[in-house]
Amino acid sequence: MGEKERFAAGARSTLRALATGLLTMRRDPLPRLRSLGWLPHAHVVLIALVICPFSAGNSNGEFHQNPTLRMLFAVLQSVAVVLALSRPVPAWWLSTITLFLVAALGEAEVSQDHLWPWGIEDIVLHTLVLLLLALRVRPLIAAQALTLTVLSGLLNTLFQTQDHNEVLTRALVPFATAVVVGASLRMSRVARTRLVEQEVLTAEERSRRTLLEERNRIARELHDVVAHHMSVISIQAQVAPHLVENPSADLKENLAGIRQNAVEALTELRRVLGVLRSEDPSAEGARHAPQPTLDRLAELVENVRGAGLAVTTEITGEPRPLSPGVELSAFRIVQESLSNAMRHAPGARVRVGIGYHPSGVTVRVVNTAPDRPVAPSPGAGHGLLGMRERTAMLGGELAAGATPDGGYEVIATLPVLFAAPGAHPVEDTA
């Protein structure tokens, strides 16, 4: 599409919007003030009710022959103000048409001493309608309404039969002020709403990114665990034919297939790990580092004590080897809990408990209240999220929360028997 075509399309769109702007029923929700509730809207209704009899009684020199008609027009203008609370565009049409008819039908009876084409009461009521309209529709529509209001007054002056004390230019000041104030308040409200929506989207995106980063980190750590088992399978499949006298061709073929599948699985694992590590340069230095297990718990506790945190440990039950995934997850949960205690509870005492039982292992880390105020943490909240992800991955349970004495407690139960979603339970054979 060329530049001329784009300009023509934009012009048509603008003209269409101008043509249909004051024919739409769309409007923003009625604004409410938190501290005042519906009180301002009740005041609008009250103003309309109070001005109505004044407008009907002060006939502005009009409709001496038919006061009922003047009363009808006064009621219609007051109704337009109340209607503007729910239907601002139709209310503006009602008020504008009423103003035009009042000026057109009563012009011959208005003396030069009286205001024309609109009286004070008419201006006040229509100003309220314009304000309520500008609060709830786009500024372009509010500007159209102001323009048509002025044009209706100019049209009255074109067909006047005598000189009058015209207030058209003076009425333009409150009308324009109402539109500007209403449009400004609406734009401010829209900006605040969009800012809140953007903050919600940003928070959701941050949480999603944090979750993905934590899952990538867990995947990188578990790669070594899975790779170890696959390497063992490959070696065992390669050695097995030499442990049997005169192995059959079928046995050799099956073992060769097992080894080939294991080698291919290792290749795929390395490829996936390469993708994950390419997004995290800090993981490159840990490529060949062995993954920690609960055997290194004492080393971890000593390091934390060296950083100034008072830590005690308690191991219950009969310690036994667990599957590498469970060992790694248990160690990481203790590590993250101690890190959180150092950041959020300086000076607190921490107790680490490892409980072995037939169905799995329970990790419990609890700290007392900090002995001094704690500055807000700038972290992204990976610690607790990582614990939950590791526990859920193993089919376990995790509970974390404040203790009655002002401290914090983390309890994770990691089962020996666990299953991936949609799979049958797999028994730990380690």
Side-chain angles (χ1 to χ4, degrees):
M1 181 182 294
E3 185 175 348
K4 291 184 178 180
E5 288 78 3
R6 287 196 297 269
F7 178 80
R12 287 194 298 270
S13 177
T14 302
L15 291 175
R16 190 181 304 111
L18 290 173
T20 60
L22 287 173
L23 299 178
T24 180
M25 295 293 289
R26 297 178 60 183
R27 73 276 185 195
D28 294 346
L30 192 65
R32 293 182 61 182
L33 300 178
R34 294 182 180 178
S35 57
L36 299 179
W38 294 99
L39 186 60
H41 310 98
H43 284 165
V44 170
V45 176
L46 181 62
I47 291 173
L49 293 176
V50 169
I51 293 181
C52 182
F54 284 97
S55 179
N58 183 14
S59 61
N60 202 29
E62 306 162 325
F63 306 110
H64 288 163
Q65 305 299 325
N66 193 352
T68 303
L69 189 60
R70 177 59 192 177
M71 173 64 74
L72 174 62
F73 287 140
V75 171
L76 288 177
Q77 279 193 276
S78 298
V79 168
V81 173
V82 177
L83 180 63
L85 291 172
S86 58
R87 297 290 186 273
V89 174
W92 172 83
W93 278 111
L94 176 61
S95 180
T96 302
I97 293 173
T98 301
L99 288 179
F100 179 81
L101 292 177
V102 168
L105 298 179
E107 184 266 339
E109 301 181 28
V110 178
S111 66
Q112 295 183 2
D113 297 332
H114 289 85
L115 300 176
W116 189 86
W118 308 309
I120 297 297
E121 296 83 0
D122 302 327
I123 294 174
V124 171
L125 292 175
H126 196 70
T127 299
L128 270 176
V129 172
L130 285 173
L131 176 62
L132 294 172
L133 176 75
L135 282 172
R136 302 185 63 188
V137 299
R138 291 182 291 111
L140 179 61
I141 298 178
Q144 287 181 257
L146 175 62
T147 302
L148 291 180
T149 296
V150 175
L151 289 178
S152 70
L154 288 174
L155 189 60
N156 286 133
T157 60
L158 290 178
F159 295 99
Q160 65 186 30
T161 59
Q162 56 181 328
D163 293 333
H164 297 287
N165 182 11
E166 296 180 5
V167 296
L168 186 59
T169 56
R170 285 171 282 178
L172 183 60
V173 175
F175 289 169
T177 301
V179 170
V180 171
V181 171
S184 300
L185 292 175
R186 178 187 179 275
M187 288 189 291
S188 176
R189 185 175 71 251
V190 170
R192 289 195 303 270
T193 302
R194 290 179 178 174
L195 179 60
V196 171
E197 292 175 352
Q198 187 61 43
E199 288 177 349
V200 171
L201 291 176
T202 302
E204 292 178 351
E205 182 61 29
R206 187 185 300 114
S207 299
R208 189 179 299 110
R209 185 173 62 251
T210 301
L211 178 62
L212 292 176
E213 290 173 356
E214 190 62 27
R215 287 179 176 176
N216 283 349
R217 187 167 75 95
I218 294 172
R220 288 193 300 268
E221 292 179 351
L222 289 179
H223 164 268
D224 294 340
V225 174
V226 178
H228 169 73
H229 287 296
M230 296 304 297
S231 298
V232 171
I233 293 173
S234 175
I235 294 172
Q236 289 177 337
Q238 185 177 13
V239 173
H242 302 286
L243 302 179
V244 180
E245 293 184 3
N246 301 320
S248 64
D250 290 341
L251 178 60
K252 289 182 179 181
E253 183 180 354
N254 288 333
L255 290 174
I258 293 174
R259 183 177 184 279
Q260 180 64 28
N261 288 331
V263 171
E264 291 178 359
L266 279 172
T267 302
E268 293 298 328
L269 278 174
R270 292 191 186 97
R271 184 176 295 113
V272 172
L273 185 67
V275 174
L276 295 178
R277 279 182 172 146
S278 66
E279 300 176 358
D280 185 7
S282 63
E284 186 64 27
R287 180 185 293 271
H288 303 294
Q291 297 299 341
T293 63
L294 289 176
D295 292 337
R296 296 176 56 185
L297 180 61
E299 177 185 348
L300 172 64
V301 171
E302 285 302 321
N303 290 337
V304 174
R305 286 172 180 164
L309 192 66
V311 184
T312 59
T313 60
E314 179 183 5
I315 298 179
T316 59
E318 184 65 28
R320 68 183 189 280
L322 301 171
S323 67
V326 174
E327 290 268 358
L328 173 61
S329 295
F331 181 89
R332 291 302 189 198
I333 290 172
V334 174
Q335 185 181 45
E336 295 287 358
S337 298
L338 293 177
S339 298
N340 288 341
M342 286 191 291
R343 285 195 301 267
H344 304 296
R349 297 184 305 277
V350 184
R351 186 171 67 255
V352 178
I354 306 294
Y356 292 90
H357 45 84
S359 60
V361 62
T362 298
V363 177
R364 183 173 184 265
V365 182
V366 58
N367 63 266
T368 60
D371 61 1
R372 56 183 180 274
V374 184
S377 174
H382 286 239
L384 189 58
L385 177 61
M387 298 181 208
R388 295 192 186 280
E389 284 296 307
R390 293 178 186 277
T391 305
M393 174 189 65
L394 297 171
E397 297 180 356
L398 183 136
T403 58
D405 62 353
Y408 202 82
E409 182 180 43
V410 174
I411 301 177
T413 302
L414 307 178
V416 173
L417 299 176
F418 64 93
H424 296 291
V426 178
E427 185 173 359
D428 174 22
T429 58

